[in-house]
Amino acid sequence: MKKAKKELGYSNAMVAELSGVPIGTVQKIFSGETTAPRYATLQALEQIFIKYDETSSSTIHETALPYLTKSQGEYTIEDCDNLPDDVRVELIDGVIYYMSAPTVAHQMIAGYIHAQLFNHIKSNKGNCTAMISPLSVELNKDNKTSVQPDVLIACDKSKVIKRCVYGAPDFVLEILSPSTKSKDMVIKLNKYMAAGVKEYWMIDPDKKQLLVYNFDENRFAEVHTFEDTVPIAVLDNKCSIDFKDLYEYISFLYD
């Protein structure tokens, strides 16, 4: 529980409020002063962390807590808009997912790929638009889902409005991290496929690996390494990302 508490960023006060366990008891347990808590106390504490493990969805910033009074699954885009400006979240089917600050590797990879896409589309006078997060995408055109892909391509510019991308982009890229991996590889994978995204890339910087889903072709994911050059199907395979060059760009981070 200590590890989950740290990863979630929960304070003792937040654990006490969520579990109903007195804050004094919480402080003693997590400081190690109490080594054999009552079984009922452990059960109450475990429930908030079990819910996190099952959904990976309760990583809520402490400053957001006073604004989040509904049950997960009941939140709307308006609820997210009312959160403090320093709280960044995604909303999927009414469930709020807190987004932690990205790593340097994450940002460098996203920036590199966005630059390649932007330059290709611009130099070829293409009709598509390449965009980089933070940017809201209302996949289902409802008030229950708003995600922020790391990089996207939208070829139907009628979907690009001032507030957000309204509807499914053609291409989505997500850069995986330990805290978002299960969400990106399961929940968002299914959401993007169901919404009509044509191509979905997932980059794992730790494994130096890329997974490519071409939903239109209804095939298993293609697996690539940071030694490969990979074409982008929605750009008619005329734009490719050289991952060997990308790795040279960020390799100092792995030293």
Side-chain angles (χ1 to χ4, degrees):
M1 287 192 295
K2 287 183 179 180
K3 181 181 178 182
K5 177 176 178 286
K6 182 178 179 181
E7 290 179 353
L8 288 163
Y10 282 176
S11 66
N12 287 333
M14 188 172 180
V15 171
E17 183 168 348
L18 291 171
S19 65
V21 175
I23 188 168
T25 302
V26 171
Q27 289 170 338
K28 289 179 180 179
I29 290 173
F30 285 99
S31 69
E33 183 179 344
T34 298
T35 57
R38 293 180 180 180
Y39 180 66
T41 300
L42 284 176
Q43 279 189 312
L45 292 173
E46 286 175 352
Q47 286 305 307
I48 64 174
F49 298 120
I50 288 171
K51 185 176 181 181
Y52 168 73
D53 290 336
E54 289 176 347
T55 67
S56 299
S57 66
S58 52
T59 316
I60 303 300
H61 197 285
E62 190 169 357
T63 58
L65 190 60
Y67 299 84
L68 302 178
T69 58
K70 299 179 180 179
S71 299
Q72 287 283 41
E74 297 179 355
Y75 289 103
T76 65
I77 291 174
E78 289 76 16
D79 294 321
C80 295
D81 290 341
N82 289 330
L83 292 173
D85 291 340
D86 65 336
V87 178
R88 186 175 168 216
V89 301
E90 289 186 305
L91 181 71
I92 302 176
D93 295 328
V95 175
I96 286 180
Y97 297 80
Y98 170 66
M99 302 176 70
S100 58
T103 64
V104 172
H106 179 288
Q107 292 300 85
M108 291 184 71
I109 291 170
Y112 178 97
I113 292 178
H114 175 259
Q116 302 299 311
L117 301 179
F118 175 85
N119 290 335
H120 172 83
I121 293 169
K122 186 174 185 295
S123 62
N124 288 279
K125 295 181 170 54
N127 292 322
C128 300
T129 301
M131 288 168 274
I132 189 168
S133 189
L135 174 73
S136 295
V137 177
E138 297 183 16
L139 273 177
N140 302 118
K141 300 182 179 181
D142 60 13
N143 68 342
K144 302 289 283 185
T145 297
S146 179
V147 295
Q148 295 193 23
D150 293 313
V151 179
L152 65 86
I153 298 172
C155 295
D156 180 355
K157 289 186 178 179
S158 68
K159 294 181 179 180
V160 182
I161 60 178
K162 289 183 178 181
R163 183 181 76 253
C164 65
V165 175
Y166 194 63
D170 296 88
F171 169 94
V172 167
L173 163 69
E174 298 282 8
I175 300 167
L176 306 180
S177 68
S179 63
T180 66
K181 186 173 290 187
S182 61
K183 178 180 67 172
D184 292 338
M185 297 188 72
V186 180
I187 298 172
K188 283 178 128 181
L189 169 66
N190 289 316
K191 287 297 292 184
Y192 288 143
M193 180 168 57
V197 171
K198 296 177 181 178
E199 187 172 0
Y200 182 32
W201 285 22
M202 285 181 276
I203 295 176
D204 189 328
D206 294 333
K207 292 183 178 180
K208 301 175 189 174
Q209 189 177 79
L210 164 69
L211 296 177
V212 174
Y213 286 87
N214 285 303
F215 295 132
D216 281 351
E217 298 180 10
N218 197 27
R219 298 187 305 184
F220 291 110
E222 299 174 3
V223 182
H224 299 276
T225 72
F226 279 16
E227 292 289 323
D228 298 332
T229 298
V230 186
I232 296 172
V234 302
L235 297 178
D236 299 323
N237 296 314
K238 294 178 180 178
C239 175
S240 296
I241 303 299
D242 183 343
F243 278 86
K244 190 172 184 178
D245 184 64
L246 184 154
Y247 181 66
E248 289 178 3
Y249 173 58
I250 64 171
S251 60
F252 71 95
L253 296 171
Y254 291 82
D255 294 337

